Structure formats: C-alpha cells, structure tokens
Amino acid sequence: MSVVAAFARSSPGSPAEIRELDLVRLAVPVRSDAGQDVPAGAVGTVVGIWAGGSGFEVEFSELFEALATVRSREISDHQPFHG
C-alpha cells in the first residue's frame, strides 16, 4: 500500500494518539536537525516522543534522509503503525 493510500484511509488523531513508528505528515515546513528544509506534506516515521507528545523526533527518507524534531502542531495527520 502506498503512503498516499494509507493516509487516504486514516483520520487525523490528536498528538496523544501518535506513537513510535507511526507515519506523520507535516502541515508546515520544518528544519531538520542537520539544517535541511523538510517541506510541508513530507511523510516521516516517528522514532521518538518528547514531553508526553508535545514534540516528536521524525525520520524522513524521501527527497533526502533527515531527522527533525517536530512539534505536535506541525503535524497535519498520521497513520498508525500496524506491525
């Protein structure tokens, strides 16, 4: 299943519902930990949860590989991990 299809079937959840290994889509551009600009709409995998869900460490692999700390308000929606 493509990432686009996965998001088409999901419904947005509150940040408290986001867990490690979930896919998230950016609502706004963010700067990666290495200083790269990750565009709005980029999809990444949650690899860490900070301050009870107020922020997340997200790994991106498309366009380029990057890690970014993303605030919950910067996430437009997510797809839970099923594995």
Side-chain angles (χ1 to χ4, degrees):
M1 172 184 327
S2 74
V3 171
V4 173
F7 278 98
R9 295 179 345 151
S10 71
S11 59
S14 70
E17 296 172 341
I18 296 175
R19 300 173 192 260
E20 286 187 2
L21 302 181
D22 286 357
L23 295 176
V24 294
R25 182 185 313 274
L26 292 178
V28 297
V30 299
R31 181 141 329 226
S32 77
D33 296 348
Q36 298 167 299
D37 292 324
V38 183
V43 175
T45 303
V46 175
V47 295
I49 300 172
W50 312 128
S54 65
F56 303 91
E57 191 69 16
V58 181
E59 179 178 25
F60 298 91
S61 61
E62 296 203 10
L63 300 178
F64 50 84
E65 293 185 9
L67 280 174
T69 302
V70 179
R71 295 179 195 105
S72 60
R73 67 177 181 265
E74 297 171 326
I75 295 173
S76 63
D77 58 2
H78 84 283
Q79 173 65 37
F81 174 73
H82 298 287

